C-alpha cells in the first residue's frame, strides 16, 4: 500500500494534495485505511502548512472507516482509496468492484449495525456516487473547518 503522490497546484479542479492507495492485502483494511488518512492529513499539516483541525482528522478517519467497511463487505477484490485536498475541503474517494450504488436505509434506532452510510451523510459536506468501469466510486467531501 504505497501512496502515489500527485503534486497539485492551486488551480481550480486540481487537488492541492493527493494520495492514492490500493487496499488488497488480507487483514486489517479498515485500521490501515484510518491510519493512511491520518498520515495523509498529517503530511498536509507539516509539508503544506495546511491548518487541519484534529476534529477534521477524526471525521475523515470515521468516513474512511465506514466507506472502506462497506466496500470490503459488499464488493469483491481490492478497494481503492484516494485522499485529496481541494481548496477548503478534504475528499475521501473509495473505489470498489460492485457497481450497485449504496442506498441509505430509513432511520431505525432499533436496527443494530448498517448505519454507515447514514453516518457518512451526517458528517460529510457532500456525498457523490459514480458508476465506473468495473464498479463505482463514492466521494465524501469534508470541510477543513468542520
Amino acid at each position: 500500500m504505497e501512496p502515489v503522490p500527485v503534486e497539485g497546484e492551486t488551480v481550480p479542479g486540481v487537488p492541492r494534495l493527493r494520495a492514492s492507495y490500493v487496499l488488497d492485502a488480507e487483514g486489517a483494511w479498515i485500521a490501515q485505511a484510518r491510519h493512511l488518512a491520518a498520515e495523509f492529513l498529517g503530511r498536509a499539516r507539516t509539508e503544506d502548512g495546511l491548518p487541519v483541525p484534529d476534529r477534521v482528522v477524526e471525521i475523515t478517519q470515521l468516513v474512511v472507516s465506514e466507506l472502506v467497511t462497506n466496500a470490503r463487505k459488499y464488493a469483491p477484490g481490492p478497494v481503492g482509496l484516494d485522499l485529496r485536498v481541494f481548496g477548503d475541503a478534504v475528499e475521501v474517494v473509495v473505489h470498489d468492484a460492485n457497481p450497485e450504488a449504496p442506498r441509505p436505509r430509513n432511520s431505525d434506532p432499533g436496527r443494530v449495525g448498517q448505519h454507515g452510510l447514514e453516518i457518512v451523510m451526517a458528517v460529510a459536506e457532500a456525498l457523490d456516487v459514480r458508476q465506473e468501469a468495473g464498479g463505482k466510486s463514492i466521494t465524501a467531501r469534508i470541510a477543513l473547518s468542520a
Side-chain angles (χ1 to χ4, degrees):
M1 290 190 305
E2 289 299 312
V4 179
V6 177
E7 301 261 343
E9 302 162 9
T10 308
V11 175
V14 176
R16 290 173 62 179
L17 301 169
R18 180 178 178 177
S20 295
Y21 309 90
V22 176
L23 307 171
D24 61 359
E26 291 297 318
W29 281 20
I30 291 95
Q32 291 168 346
R34 289 174 60 88
H35 175 76
L36 292 169
E39 191 176 81
F40 172 77
L41 291 173
R43 285 194 320 268
R45 283 177 174 156
T46 59
E47 296 172 15
D48 198 46
L50 194 64
V52 180
D54 290 341
R55 180 77 178 135
V56 171
V57 175
E58 293 166 359
I59 291 170
T60 302
Q61 287 183 297
L62 174 63
V63 167
V64 164
S65 179
E66 294 300 335
L67 293 180
V68 169
T69 296
N70 286 349
R72 176 90 163 119
K73 186 173 180 178
Y74 298 110
V79 171
L81 172 63
D82 294 336
L83 301 166
R84 315 183 285 221
V85 173
F86 272 106
D88 62 349
V90 61
E91 290 184 346
V92 173
V93 185
V94 174
H95 308 269
D96 68 44
N98 182 349
E100 188 174 329
R103 284 177 246 145
R105 295 171 163 240
N106 292 330
S107 181
D108 179 0
R111 183 176 68 235
V112 177
Q114 299 183 344
H115 294 280
L117 195 56
E118 294 170 50
I119 292 168
V120 171
M121 291 171 67
V123 299
E125 185 177 75
L127 186 69
D128 181 53
V129 179
R130 293 181 189 240
Q131 305 298 146
E132 295 181 338
K136 70 178 169 302
S137 68
I138 301 177
T139 302
R141 183 175 172 85
I142 302 154
L144 287 171
S145 61

